[in-house]
């Protein structure tokens, strides 16, 4: 087996996706190690989760920087100081500059709470309910300079029930996020998942469409 993948996770808040990745590394389902957790907001729960797991934490408060480019350059340098193989955005609520996303192209993944390309951006659950969608879900994708627009790897799906509220729908999707993010990170750390010329390759095969969680036997 290859040496464990060095993972840096970027967060802004609760860090439940971070926790799922930490747990999956701890129980060896992912051949990886979270070497650092970086938050752009101080004192968030995700930082406490990381500290509890004995992981190095860093806070880089974006409000202390004059502009996006300066913040992104500092963030880039901080990430690079951990020599990561993978950078995971997990509820990291920042738009990233093109210089930043290009620098980490092919190494950076994001979890998004919708079935992309539907509902890029914020308030995805509310927008899905308002649009009268029958289904909703989450997506894991490679990060490119297009916001929530990089090639999608894996998606989940659930039926929207009449009794769903924004809160209960978000909670149901979040459970699926933990599964699909862990699965995609496992593939990445195994070297099975590669971004090639804007296409996703899984085990050397180009994906014509995102993989659907319902169609695979997940390890999570
Ligand atoms: C998740 O829904 C994620 O997809 C979105 O923000 C939420 C973060 O949750 N971008 P957590 O911090 O991982 O608990």
């Amino acid at each position: 087996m290859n040496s464990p993948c060095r993972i840096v996770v970027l967060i802004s808040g609760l860090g439940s996706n971070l926790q799922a990745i930490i747990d999956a590394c701890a129980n060896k389902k992912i051949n990886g190690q979270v070497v650092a957790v970086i938050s752009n907001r101080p004192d968030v729960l995700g930082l406490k989760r990381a500290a509890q797991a004995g992981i190095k934490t860093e806070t880089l408060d974006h409000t202390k920087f004059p502009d996006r480019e300066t913040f992104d350059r500092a963030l880039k340098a901080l990430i690079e100081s951990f020599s990561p193989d993978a950078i995971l955005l997990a509820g990291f609520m920042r738009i990233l500059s093109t210089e930043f996303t290009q620098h980490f192209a092919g190494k950076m993944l994001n979890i998004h709470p919708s079935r992309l390309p539907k509902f890029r951006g914020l308030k995805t659950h509310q927008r899905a309910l308002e649009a009268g969608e029958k289904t909703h879900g989450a997506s894991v994708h490679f990060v490119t300079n297009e916001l929530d627009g990089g090639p999608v790897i894996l998606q989940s799906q659930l039926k929207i029930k009449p009794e769903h509220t924004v809160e209960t729908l978000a909670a149901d999707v979040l459970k699926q996020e933990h599964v699909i993010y862990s699965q995609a990170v496992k593939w990445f750390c195994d070297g099975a998942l590669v971004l090639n010329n804007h296409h996703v390759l899984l085990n050397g095969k180009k994906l014509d469409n995102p993989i659907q969680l319902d169609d695979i036997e997940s390890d999570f």
Side-chain angles (χ1 to χ4, degrees), residues 13-18 90-93 111-113 125 174 177-178:
L14 298 181
S16 71
N17 279 290
L18 163 69
F92 187 62
M93 306 304 282
I111 178 80
H112 182 76
H125 311 300
L174 191 60
E177 292 181 35
H178 301 158

Side-chain angles (χ1 to χ4, degrees), residues 61-109:
D61 184 346
H62 64 278
T63 64
K64 304 271 194 295
F65 289 80
D67 53 37
R68 187 176 305 285
E69 284 65 35
T70 318
F71 173 78
D72 281 7
R73 267 183 224 126
L75 181 60
K76 181 172 101 178
L78 182 58
I79 293 170
E80 283 296 6
S81 73
F82 296 104
S83 308
D85 303 303
I87 300 101
L88 306 182
L89 308 185
F92 187 62
M93 306 304 282
R94 293 277 306 164
I95 292 175
L96 296 163
S97 56
T98 301
E99 186 188 322
F100 184 94
T101 55
Q102 279 177 353
H103 181 80
F104 292 114
K107 285 170 92 173
M108 188 155 59
L109 305 181

Side-chain angles (χ1 to χ4, degrees), residues 29-45:
K29 283 185 164 190
I30 291 176
N31 181 26
Q33 186 194 358
V34 180
V35 293
V37 172
I38 304 172
S39 174
N40 66 312
R41 293 187 194 282
D43 303 323
V44 294
L45 179 60

Side-chain angles (χ1 to χ4, degrees), residues 172-185:
D172 288 349
V173 170
L174 191 60
K175 283 185 211 143
Q176 297 189 332
E177 292 181 35
H178 301 158
V179 174
I180 63 171
Y181 213 5
S182 301
Q183 181 68 55
V185 173

Side-chain angles (χ1 to χ4, degrees), residues 53-65:
I55 297 165
K56 174 115 177 96
T57 61
E58 300 276 359
T59 301
L60 202 62
D61 184 346
H62 64 278
T63 64
K64 304 271 194 295
F65 289 80

